Amino acid sequence: MTLNKVVGSADEAVQDIPDGSSIAVGGFGLAGIPWFLIEALLDQGAKDLTIVSNNCGVDGAGLGLLLEARRISKVIASYIGENKEFGRQFLSGEVTVELTPQGTLAERMRSGGSGIGAFFTPTGVGTLVAEGGLPWRYNADGTIAEASAPKEVREIGGRQMVLEESIVTDFALVRAAVVDRAGNCRFHAAAQNFNPPAAMAGRITVVEAEKVVDVGEIAPDDIHLPGIFVQKVVELTPEQAARKEIEQRTTRERTS
């Protein structure tokens, strides 16, 4: 008997996400983000969410929609990005932000999905990342309400390294180009980005798929994420699959 993890809709896929959940979300900027799962979660109404993602969308799109609706209480990310509202909420003390070096963030999620509790890395040694004092939350008057604690630093192989704890979340929302009914995923080009580690970090992972195929149609060597990490698959329509926006488009006038 073949597994079939395909569910009826994005709304159905996120209906059991409760208030206070932690959610890992794939994507980089707007590339490879799970557009329709995010919008379904917005409609579903869950609040007080902790989001683990490279960034928090942009103003008016992606995770920025949840942020603007005041549904996110904490973000673990690598940068504020193009989102002015994200920066405003952080500096005014409305949201907690745990800034983490980009590669470290990816490894914290991947390690969490691999059953590794923590790891040592040289990234961040000699900075507030390791020494503590990195602002996580501000008061309304601009003073620091919460800051990061110092982390263990140890010499390994002749290099100073800092201990980073892995991340495991309640849920994960990701997007893939081709997914079979057992949840095996293939991503397209740069849209792969944070999607595999985010999927690994979630205890319950939901994938929105641009195309769903039968088991066996993706060659084993072409699978980027094994289906064991995926619990639900949402099949997009061709129109939905074609939705791929970018943050900014910069052009210059043609010269004769």
Side-chain angles (χ1 to χ4, degrees):
M1 184 173 63
T2 302
L3 286 174
N4 187 359
K5 299 179 181 179
V6 178
V7 299
S9 67
D11 292 335
E12 178 184 343
V14 303
Q15 66 181 357
D16 58 348
I17 298 179
D19 295 349
S21 296
S22 58
I23 308 174
V25 182
F28 184 98
L30 295 180
I33 69 169
W35 291 94
F36 299 95
L37 292 174
I38 292 171
E39 291 175 3
L41 184 59
L42 180 68
D43 293 338
Q44 186 256 36
K47 58 183 182 297
D48 190 27
L49 302 173
T50 294
I51 299 295
V52 183
S53 188
N54 181 62
N55 54 289
C56 202
V58 300
D59 295 293
L63 289 170
L65 296 174
L66 290 171
L67 195 71
E68 291 164 10
R70 301 297 194 277
R71 305 275 280 284
I72 299 174
S73 58
K74 181 177 180 179
V75 181
I76 302 175
S78 70
Y79 76 117
I80 301 296
E82 303 295 327
N83 196 326
K84 294 180 181 178
E85 177 61 14
F86 188 16
R88 189 200 66 77
Q89 287 192 27
F90 178 39
L91 294 175
S92 63
E94 299 173 30
V95 65
T96 300
V97 180
E98 183 181 334
L99 289 174
T100 303
Q102 197 167 75
T104 299
L105 179 61
E107 181 60 16
R108 288 180 70 189
M109 289 191 283
R110 190 205 67 82
S111 294
S114 300
I116 299 169
F119 59 91
F120 281 95
T121 174
T123 303
V125 172
T127 73
L128 295 181
V129 170
E131 296 170 359
L134 192 67
W136 280 6
R137 191 177 185 93
Y138 287 96
N139 293 307
D141 63 2
T143 57
I144 297 175
E146 182 183 2
S148 64
K151 299 174 183 177
E152 179 184 349
V153 176
R154 185 185 301 181
E155 183 175 322
I156 300 176
R159 301 183 70 183
Q160 293 294 306
M161 299 196 180
V162 58
L163 181 67
E164 291 282 0
E165 294 186 4
S166 301
I167 293 174
V168 176
T169 57
D170 300 318
F171 297 88
L173 307 178
V174 303
R175 177 165 176 151
V178 184
V179 184
D180 69 22
R181 296 185 181 279
N184 297 300
C185 299
R186 179 166 178 80
F187 304 94
H188 177 67
Q192 183 170 357
N193 53 57
F194 273 77
N195 278 298
M200 293 176 69
R203 293 186 177 93
I204 298 176
T205 293
V206 185
V207 179
E208 66 176 51
E210 295 174 17
K211 181 180 180 181
V212 173
V213 299
D214 290 330
V215 175
E217 290 192 42
I218 307 176
D221 288 346
D222 291 336
I223 292 172
H224 295 142
L225 178 76
I228 194 170
F229 292 108
V230 175
Q231 282 68 48
K232 300 178 185 180
V233 176
V234 176
E235 184 174 10
L236 301 180
T237 66
E239 293 76 20
Q240 290 173 327
R243 181 177 175 182
K244 298 175 184 178
E245 301 175 23
I246 59 175
E247 294 96 311
Q248 296 182 13
R249 177 173 293 170
T250 303
T251 62
R252 63 184 179 185
E253 293 184 4
R254 292 181 179 271
T255 58
S256 57

